[in-house]
């Protein structure tokens, strides 16, 4: 694992990041540190791709974050002021009493204890009959080749916000949520959301790219192969992030159709 800023800079020589400012930040509730790299709205995705490619060498997983406080003239000051790794929100999750503390490694260990089948059985309220009705509508929609407007899944652009690429000492993108709190986990627990992200990674090979507090932006290598899979996935996403479809007013069937076609997910949950 590469912790030295100078070693990272050597790897980035002759890339778009060869002059990027990098700072080191201690991670509360652990003895770990994170490296945080300066990026901007134009190079953020390319920067993420570079560091994701270098993961086998660095052993540091990259994720794009944005600061929500007023932007100043000092990028480093903005990052420090943002308090990216604050543990406060974890204490108010429903799962918190199970693992008794907000320790990062303890929280990550809880992920493997989550029974996804049981979790989905408890959360899914759609009957088998209703599922089949939705599936029939989805099949008809695709047979008629109705075009779906995918604009509601377009990724958020953090214009005029301080941006950073955070390099975390992990190998799996779902573990990011043990370090950086996501608002949607407030209702069901970070352990459950991470378990779902892990489950989706095993099925669809997803990578978490951006984490903007209420928004998660994800790439997908293996899209659902069948409409039935797409519908099941749409239901699962509504459980984790209902605002994804509620706020733009997208039907479950339309969301399933979109997931069947797109290789980018946008999960949104806000107050």
């Amino acid at each position: 694992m590469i912790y030295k800023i100078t070693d990272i800079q050597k790897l980035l020589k002759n890339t778009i990041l060869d002059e990027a400012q990098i700072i080191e930040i201690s991670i509360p509730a652990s003895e770990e540190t994170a490296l945080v790299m300066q990026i901007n709205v134009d190079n953020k995705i390319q920067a993420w791709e570079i560091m994701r490619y270098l993961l086998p060498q660095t052993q540091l997983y990259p994720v794009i974050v944005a600061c929500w406080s007023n932007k100043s003239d000092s990028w480093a000051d903005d990052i420090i002021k943002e308090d990216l790794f604050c543990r406060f929100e974890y204490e108010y999750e429903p799962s918190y009493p199970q693992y008794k503390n907000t320790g990062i490694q303890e929280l990550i260990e809880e992920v493997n204890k989550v029974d996804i089948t049981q979790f989905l059985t408890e959360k899914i309220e759609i009957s088998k009959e209703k599922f089949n009705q939705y599936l029939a509508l989805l099949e008809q929609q695709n047979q008629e080749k109705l075009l779906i407007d995918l604009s509601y899944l377009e990724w958020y652009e953090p214009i005029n916000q301080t941006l950073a690429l955070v390099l975390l000492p992990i190998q799996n993108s779902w573990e990011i949520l043990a370090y950086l709190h996501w608002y949607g986990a407030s209702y069901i627990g970070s352990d459950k959301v991470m378990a779902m992200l892990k489950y989706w990674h095993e099925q669809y090979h997803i990578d978490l790219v951006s984490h903007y507090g209420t928004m998660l932006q994800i790439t997908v290598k293996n899209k659902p192969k069948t409409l039935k899979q797409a519908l099941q996935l749409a239901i699962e996403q509504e459980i984790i992030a209902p605002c994804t479809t509620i706020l733009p007013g997208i039907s479950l069937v339309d969301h399933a159709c979109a997931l069947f076609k797109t290789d980018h997910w946008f999960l949104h949950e806000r107050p």
Side-chain angles (χ1 to χ4, degrees):
M1 184 177 294
I2 296 178
Y3 273 121
K4 291 184 178 180
I5 292 175
T6 53
D7 291 338
I8 293 290
Q9 290 171 330
K10 288 177 183 177
L11 288 175
L12 297 177
K13 193 172 182 179
N14 298 323
T15 74
I16 62 166
L17 298 172
D18 61 357
E19 296 183 2
Q21 183 177 355
I22 305 174
I23 60 175
E24 185 176 359
I25 297 180
S26 298
I27 300 174
S30 77
E31 297 179 355
E32 301 172 313
T33 61
L35 297 183
V36 184
M37 182 181 302
Q38 185 176 16
I39 55 175
N40 59 55
V41 71
D42 295 321
N43 73 2
K44 64 184 188 304
I45 299 300
Q46 190 176 355
W48 180 87
E49 290 173 342
I50 290 171
M51 296 313 301
R52 180 64 181 84
Y53 175 77
L54 292 172
L55 177 61
Q57 292 172 258
T58 66
Q59 301 291 293
L60 298 171
Y61 204 98
V63 62
I64 301 167
V65 302
C67 295
W68 294 90
S69 54
N70 292 332
K71 188 175 183 180
S72 74
D73 294 331
S74 172
W75 171 82
D77 287 348
D78 288 350
I79 295 300
I80 293 170
K81 182 180 177 181
E82 191 71 13
D83 196 11
L84 295 171
F85 304 112
C86 178
R87 308 304 298 171
F88 179 78
E89 297 295 338
Y90 291 94
E91 297 181 14
Y92 292 91
E93 293 183 5
S95 303
Y96 175 72
Q98 295 178 12
Y99 47 87
K100 305 298 182 185
N101 59 61
T102 57
I104 292 171
Q105 292 306 315
E106 289 86 352
L107 180 52
I108 290 174
E109 289 172 4
E110 289 296 313
V111 174
N112 291 328
K113 300 177 184 178
V114 176
D115 185 330
I116 288 295
T117 300
Q118 180 180 346
F119 173 71
L120 292 175
T121 299
E122 292 172 354
K123 293 294 182 179
I124 292 177
E125 298 178 351
I126 296 173
S127 66
K128 185 175 181 180
E129 180 182 4
K130 194 67 176 178
F131 182 94
N132 289 334
Q133 290 176 359
Y134 284 145
L135 183 58
L137 288 172
L138 182 57
E139 289 172 342
Q140 180 181 1
Q141 188 165 315
N142 276 267
Q143 286 172 358
E144 296 175 357
K145 296 183 179 180
L146 297 179
L147 298 178
I148 300 300
D149 183 0
L150 300 177
S151 62
Y152 77 101
L153 289 179
E154 289 180 0
W155 285 6
Y156 172 74
E157 287 294 327
I159 298 172
N160 296 322
Q161 290 179 258
T162 299
L163 292 177
L165 190 64
V166 179
L167 308 179
L168 293 169
I170 55 176
Q171 293 295 293
N172 305 305
S173 70
W174 60 84
E175 295 174 353
I176 291 170
L177 270 62
Y179 291 81
L180 302 170
H181 192 266
W182 180 56
Y183 180 80
S186 303
Y187 302 105
I188 60 177
S190 291
D191 57 332
K192 306 296 193 305
V193 177
M194 287 192 291
M196 283 303 306
L197 291 177
K198 180 182 178 183
Y199 175 67
W200 290 334
H201 178 79
E202 292 166 350
Q203 293 189 86
Y204 306 111
H205 203 96
I206 67 171
D207 268 332
L208 177 55
V209 177
S210 306
H211 182 325
Y212 296 139
T214 60
M215 295 168 277
L216 301 179
Q217 298 178 170
I218 294 168
T219 60
V220 186
K221 287 187 178 178
N222 302 324
K223 292 180 287 188
K225 292 182 174 59
T226 67
L227 294 175
K228 185 176 182 180
Q229 283 183 339
L231 179 57
Q232 176 65 27
L233 176 59
I235 294 169
E236 293 167 1
Q237 289 196 359
E238 280 198 346
I239 290 172
I240 299 297
C243 286
T244 303
T245 55
I246 290 175
L247 290 182
I250 300 297
S251 73
L252 184 65
V253 170
D254 283 345
H255 190 50
C257 187
L259 294 175
F260 189 66
K261 300 175 184 295
T262 185
D263 58 2
H264 285 70
W265 296 354
F266 180 83
L267 299 180
H268 188 196
E269 188 58 24
R270 54 163 290 176

